[in-house]
Amino acid sequence: MDCFRLVLDNVGFDRGAGQIWIDYINFINSAQSHAQYDEQQKVELLRETYQTAVAIPVLRVEDIWKEYDAFEAQTDRKGAKQQLGKMSPAYMTARTALREMNRFWDAIQGTRPRHGLPQPPGWTAREVEHLDAWKRYLKWELGNPLRLSGAEAHKRVIYAYSQACMDLWLYPEIWIEFAEYYASIGQQNEALAKLQAASGVLPQSLAVQFAYAETAEKMKQLDVCKQVYEGVIDRQRSSIEKATEKYTRKLDRQDRRVERAAGSGKQPDSGGAEEQPDSDSDAGDGDDVDDSVSVASDSDGGESKQRRTAQRVARVRKA
């Protein structure tokens, strides 16, 4: 029973948790009662479980309501109408909410990547539609359609954002919105922890890093703030150094081509084999530098061609 309670406390309000509630009810029903007191405790536990389940928009909620109706009729025929009347508004609200949820989830599942795995946003039409579908669902949850109390409503929204982050793992804005929601309900530590997690998932996202640093600064955690900014600077410096090294190697190759052409007094054969890259990292990098400084061959004087080529290389280096 403790296992069922642990699961239901954490995912019992998930749209797909209807079968778990049914299994839990069947488990309670299967328990043997050895005394009248035990039987009364079992009835009370079943009633409490049914009343909790029928107020949640889960798949098969209508089946659970039918079972609850039969349970009350069998347990206390006189009081059944009163119990069912008390729970009917909550059940109707849950059933209506489930229909709305189904539309949101149909849109989410219909636009999800075919392989089902998180991937960096390429901003294709399908990906944008998938992101919009999630945002519509999150907005709906934020509106508290079930008219729950503060704590219960917060729990549902947090769970919805957790689901969105799993599906949109590499989308910075979802992580930031999640942290902002935590902050809006006064849970600053959770907001900072969420941004810390996002910082590890998306180290190259400046939006995430700055949001993390700003939240840490508001909480007077200046050591964390300093660490974030230093990390941003180090990563940017490393990226610049790698780019500089890459283009320097490319320009060095062009220098050798020009020098070889000048030493031979001939133009390089545009149809011949080109010089191999200096390292594996240069091969297949898809850059246009080689094309911008390539030496063409035509019928004009070779010496003037060499001068023009050298001038083009100089312009590329200066740029």
Side-chain angles (χ1 to χ4, degrees):
M1 183 170 291
D2 289 341
C3 293
F4 271 113
R5 287 175 177 171
L6 176 63
V7 171
L8 292 172
D9 285 345
N10 286 278
V11 298
F13 42 85
D14 186 279
R15 171 174 167 269
Q19 187 59 51
I20 301 176
W21 283 104
I22 292 173
D23 291 342
Y24 181 45
I25 290 167
N26 292 337
F27 175 78
I28 298 172
N29 267 320
S30 67
Q32 297 294 325
S33 301
H34 300 289
Q36 185 177 358
Y37 175 78
D38 292 339
E39 183 64 26
Q40 185 62 32
Q41 291 291 104
K42 177 179 174 180
V43 169
E44 291 299 326
L45 180 57
L46 277 170
R47 177 174 287 117
E48 179 185 351
T49 304
Y50 273 122
Q51 291 180 350
T52 302
V54 298
I56 304 172
V58 294
L59 298 177
R60 300 193 63 183
V61 67
E62 294 179 356
D63 294 338
I64 298 174
W65 176 260
K66 291 176 183 177
E67 289 187 15
Y68 176 50
D69 190 336
F71 164 79
E72 289 291 1
Q74 181 182 0
T75 304
D76 182 7
R77 189 175 297 274
K78 292 182 180 180
K81 186 175 181 179
Q82 180 182 357
Q83 292 289 348
L84 294 171
K86 181 179 70 174
M87 293 306 304
S88 182
Y91 163 66
M92 295 301 293
T93 300
R95 191 175 68 169
T96 302
L98 177 63
R99 291 172 181 170
E100 295 179 13
M101 284 183 70
N102 287 338
R103 290 196 292 270
F104 290 121
W105 277 98
D106 286 346
I108 290 171
Q109 293 171 349
T111 55
R112 183 171 286 156
R114 289 177 176 83
H115 50 66
L117 299 174
Q119 60 185 12
W123 303 115
T124 63
R126 184 183 180 92
E127 289 172 340
V128 171
E129 189 177 353
H130 186 58
L131 177 62
D132 288 343
W134 267 112
K135 287 188 172 183
R136 289 193 296 271
Y137 172 58
L138 292 171
K139 183 179 180 180
W140 181 79
E141 286 286 3
L142 285 165
N144 191 14
L146 297 174
R147 299 187 290 276
L148 300 172
S149 63
E152 290 299 316
H154 296 333
K155 192 174 181 180
R156 282 192 64 90
V157 173
I158 290 170
Y159 184 74
Y161 267 114
S162 297
Q163 289 180 302
C165 281
M166 286 190 292
D167 199 19
L168 303 172
W169 188 251
L170 301 176
Y171 285 71
E173 61 190 287
I174 298 299
W175 288 92
I176 294 172
E177 285 182 17
F178 195 0
E180 288 175 347
Y181 179 76
Y182 267 128
S184 71
I185 60 176
Q187 299 185 24
Q188 299 293 337
N189 291 332
E190 287 77 4
L192 186 65
K194 191 55 61 178
L195 287 170
Q196 182 180 13
S199 176
V201 173
L202 298 161
Q204 299 299 330
S205 171
L206 294 180
V208 167
Q209 302 303 326
F210 291 152
Y212 183 25
E214 183 179 353
T215 302
E217 185 178 2
K218 289 178 180 177
M219 298 177 65
K220 307 300 182 184
Q221 297 192 21
L222 301 184
D223 290 341
V224 174
C225 185
K226 178 183 177 184
Q227 182 180 2
V228 173
Y229 283 129
E230 288 177 346
V232 170
I233 294 171
D234 290 343
R235 283 188 290 272
Q236 295 301 312
R237 182 181 291 118
S238 176
S239 297
I240 293 172
E241 289 174 353
K242 288 179 181 178
T244 302
E245 182 182 355
K246 170 183 172 181
Y247 285 101
T248 298
R249 287 197 301 268
K250 283 184 170 291
L251 289 173
D252 287 344
R253 285 207 307 276
Q254 298 309 316
D255 276 346
R256 290 194 295 273
R257 283 183 174 180
V258 173
E259 289 171 1
R260 187 169 61 250
S264 65
K266 298 178 181 179
Q267 295 301 309
D269 185 2
S270 60
E274 296 184 358
E275 181 180 349
Q276 295 297 318
D278 292 339
S279 66
D280 293 338
S281 62
D282 289 333
D285 54 20
D287 198 87
D288 295 327
V289 175
D290 287 347
D291 295 335
S292 66
V293 295
S294 60
V295 181
S297 176
D298 55 34
S299 59
D300 292 342
E303 205 166 337
S304 62
K305 287 259 185 173
Q306 293 166 11
R307 282 199 300 271
R308 288 200 300 273
T309 300
Q311 290 170 357
R312 291 173 67 189
V313 172
R315 285 199 300 272
V316 171
R317 279 185 170 279
K318 187 174 182 181

